[in-house]
Amino acid sequence: MDMGKPIEVHIVHAFTQQNEGGNPAGVVLNADSYTAEQKLQIARAVGLSETAFVSDSDCANYKLEFFTPNRQIAHCGHATVATFSLLREMGKVHEGLCSKQTIDGNRDILIKGELAFMQQSTPRYQTIFADDSNGIDDASLYARILQSMGLTEHDLLRDRLPTIVNTGNAFLAIPIIGRECLANIQPDHEEIGNISEELDLVGFYPFTLDVQDTSQAASTRMFAPRYGIGEESATGTAAGPLACLLYSQYNIPGPTLQIEQGVLMEPASPSLIKVELEIQEGRIPSLMVGGRARVEKTMTVRI
């Protein structure tokens, strides 16, 4: 590759709410010839939380690889929705099911009108207890988690505990008592990054059930300094497992849950993530996470 050649990057805002807000992702088409190091350099030059690289695939419609400004990540919800919304607008995919190849397997994609959905795997949960009753040194970790967010135990929803949730990527879901408390979080990015590294998390996903719109199940924020992301306005790979947790442990009815994000960050970028759970005898073998997107512009970068 000619290192001086301009590289075209589509900027697409995913999980928009009434065609506003959302989370911008970079999308690079025809990325087959770029090395992993070049993709990382491009993502760093684009400067968004994630950039998707689209290549040919012999086992799916397209191969997608995702890079933050400092490393590769297995899955990215908003960049997937951004990519397939762009491909739909370009006439390269159409209504119905298609698929993406990722570094850890294939996932179904559903184009449903103006929405694009991505498949996520069966959820897994791990509770972080406030004491050591489960035989693990959770008490110290629990205290560090609260301190890293500027919270006390009184700021958590009563009788609820932080829980690692995972449908492909792992996040720490933290139940916050109210919207004002969620808005006033003071994140210690260094310590959040340290804990995320220790637990192999993408980041922290504090949430509250104190919502302004009753059609929404929860309002959230997302901090992922381990991946070079201070705060993100929409995170599909976190909203999916959170919706599973809310259905399974908080008795919030499914199968469709909507998660709000980005409203409480500065500057605000309101986002809406729609989660459709497949429920079989109370279990969730699979789920689809999606939303709308807006193609904003095309930029060029050089590496």
Side-chain angles (χ1 to χ4, degrees):
M1 184 182 72
D2 179 0
M3 299 300 284
K5 180 181 178 181
I7 299 160
E8 186 176 79
V9 184
H10 301 274
I11 307 300
V12 185
H13 289 238
F15 299 123
T16 56
Q17 192 168 174
Q18 298 177 340
N19 209 37
E20 299 293 333
N23 192 5
V27 181
V28 178
L29 302 176
N30 306 312
D32 305 71
S33 64
Y34 302 154
T35 67
E37 180 57 34
Q38 288 167 339
K39 290 170 185 173
L40 182 59
Q41 291 178 37
I42 293 166
R44 192 173 293 132
V46 173
L48 297 174
S49 58
E50 278 96 1
T51 297
F53 294 84
V54 186
S55 305
D56 290 334
S57 171
D58 58 6
C59 60
N61 291 86
Y62 292 97
K63 177 181 178 181
L64 265 64
E65 296 172 285
F66 307 102
F67 286 79
T68 76
N70 69 357
R71 66 176 73 189
Q72 187 172 9
I73 188 170
H75 297 285
C76 177
H78 85 278
T80 296
V81 169
T83 297
F84 279 89
S85 296
L86 174 66
L87 293 171
R88 180 197 61 208
E89 191 167 295
M90 298 174 73
K92 296 180 180 293
V93 295
H94 305 283
E95 185 89 6
L97 278 174
C98 53
S99 61
K100 69 172 182 177
Q101 176 188 351
T102 73
I103 62 175
D104 68 348
N106 290 6
R107 297 288 188 275
D108 286 340
I109 303 295
L110 175 65
I111 306 299
K112 190 176 179 180
E114 295 181 352
L115 285 73
F117 288 84
M118 62 172 282
Q119 182 188 35
Q120 294 182 15
S121 304
T122 302
R124 303 192 305 273
Y125 316 114
Q126 179 186 338
T127 302
I128 306 297
F129 291 92
D131 55 34
D132 299 333
S133 57
N134 64 340
I136 302 173
D137 184 19
D138 272 9
S140 174
L141 177 59
Y142 175 85
R144 288 175 62 203
I145 288 167
L146 293 183
Q147 187 173 15
S148 74
M149 303 292 283
L151 299 170
T152 73
E153 60 182 6
H154 303 293
D155 296 320
L156 298 190
L157 196 59
R158 186 177 179 181
D159 297 327
R160 298 293 181 177
L161 293 166
T163 302
I164 298 173
V165 294
N166 189 331
T167 56
N169 291 335
F171 297 84
L172 183 66
I174 305 171
I176 306 298
I177 194 169
R179 194 175 185 84
E180 182 178 357
C181 185
L182 183 66
N184 291 334
I185 282 173
Q186 298 296 319
D188 178 341
H189 292 288
E190 182 177 358
E191 180 66 350
I192 292 170
N194 292 337
I195 296 171
S196 298
E197 190 72 43
E198 292 167 23
L199 301 178
D200 195 21
L201 307 173
V202 175
F204 284 19
Y205 203 53
F207 69 93
T208 182
L209 306 181
D210 177 17
V211 293
Q212 293 182 319
D213 186 332
T214 56
S215 70
Q216 298 162 7
S219 183
T220 65
R221 299 178 70 181
M222 215 294 269
F223 307 98
R226 181 188 179 202
Y227 282 84
I229 302 166
E231 182 169 0
E232 188 169 59
S233 57
T235 314
T237 51
L242 174 62
C244 296
L245 181 74
L246 296 178
Y247 170 80
S248 299
Q249 299 185 17
Y250 286 68
N251 300 317
I252 294 180
T256 300
L257 290 86
Q258 295 193 115
I259 307 296
E260 173 196 75
Q261 192 176 329
V263 175
L264 300 177
M265 67 185 294
E266 293 290 343
S269 184
S271 303
L272 191 63
I273 305 165
K274 187 173 184 178
V275 183
E276 296 187 349
L277 306 177
E278 179 187 344
I279 302 170
Q280 295 182 4
E281 298 179 349
R283 295 181 60 257
I284 304 170
S286 182
L287 57 146
M288 299 291 272
V289 178
R292 290 178 166 80
R294 181 183 74 253
V295 180
E296 186 71 17
K297 63 180 180 179
T298 300
M299 64 181 287
T300 57
V301 301
R302 295 176 187 268
I303 58 171

